[in-house]
Amino acid sequence: MSAPITVPEGLTSRPLRREDAHAVFEVILAQESHDLDEPMIEEADIVSDWSRPGFDVAGSTVGVFDGERLVAYGEISGTGRGDAAVDPAYRGRGIGTALAHWMQDTARAMGETEIGMPNPRGSAGDRLLEALGYHVRWESWGLELPAGASVPERPLPEGYAVRAAEESEYDQVWTVQEDAFLEWSVRDRQPFEDWRAQIVNRPGFEPWNLRVVVDPDGRVVSMAWLQLTTDTSYIARLATRAEERGRGLAQALLVDAFETGRAHGATRSELSTDSRTGALGLYEKVGMAVTSTWVNRGIAL
């Protein structure tokens, strides 16, 4: 159950509902438009996250309202991560601090031992969490391929192929991703149906968004999830089986995914990574440049 929250006089609060996803998107968009050179959020991000069978929207969220208008929100993912946003017009009233304490109380009630969230380095959210005693857990970076550049081609080993994943392979794609991510991410394995909700059932998903490398036996050994916005192809997840690394599979997927994005109208190519993966050097080596830096701060409960 979501913990209670104390909000400034004149405002109200309540747990959110799935139909509040658009209002949450608008609050996050307002915050990112203020804090970043350009916003990154898409409404589909929220809709798909909240559609996970294992996610209790009412028990894991809170909204702060000025009349009928949502002006701030917070949520707990159940994996030691929270997210929050405050409309910049409502900053300086203690809402962010109230949301931070709500996150701690809600996560503690869920049995979590730590809670944290990412913010752009130096942003109001980052400064607030630092002042509240949150420590840096890791950094993450947004990267973009400069205009006119392309990732250098790297041939696959003999018998390997890169292509769109077939629906019958989605369980293999999920396994490759989770096995790789759990090498450095301290959380439980994401259930397959939650993975499907976030990716396959995400609004706008097309089968060509999931790219894979298969070995000579037809086994999925590397995967990439490509999202396409109006003009940008964004690789949201990239993973390779441990025993297959160092053979150029990830680089081949980068080439394939960005070429696929361009074929569908994208003019920009982006991805993100964080300090836990050790992959920043790989992306910089193939010509990508850091465009934003985020700090994930956490606090023990």
Side-chain angles (χ1 to χ4, degrees), residues 172-239:
Q172 292 187 61
V173 178
W174 163 70
T175 298
V176 169
Q177 176 203 291
E178 285 297 280
D179 285 351
F181 283 23
L182 288 172
E183 292 176 21
W184 46 262
S185 181
V186 182
R187 59 172 174 79
D188 293 333
R189 179 176 291 268
Q190 183 183 40
F192 178 61
E193 290 306 317
D194 281 14
W195 179 89
R196 282 189 64 96
Q198 284 187 311
I199 297 179
V200 180
N201 297 333
R202 187 179 192 270
F205 173 82
E206 298 287 348
W208 55 264
N209 295 154
L210 272 180
R211 317 300 299 175
V212 294
V213 174
V214 294
D215 68 10
D217 295 324
R219 182 183 64 152
V220 173
V221 293
S222 191
M223 62 78 66
W225 174 30
L226 179 69
Q227 296 176 2
L228 189 69
T229 63
T230 304
D231 66 345
T232 302
S233 56
Y234 174 75
I235 297 177
R237 299 183 189 177
L238 180 67

Side-chain angles (χ1 to χ4, degrees), residues 154-166 169 210-224 244 247-250 252-253 256:
R154 184 166 177 183
L156 288 168
E158 184 176 356
Y160 287 64
V162 58
R163 57 170 170 78
E166 298 174 3
E169 297 169 328
L210 272 180
R211 317 300 299 175
V212 294
V213 174
V214 294
D215 68 10
D217 295 324
R219 182 183 64 152
V220 173
V221 293
S222 191
M223 62 78 66
E244 296 282 353
R247 310 185 70 188
L249 308 190
L253 270 177
D256 169 79

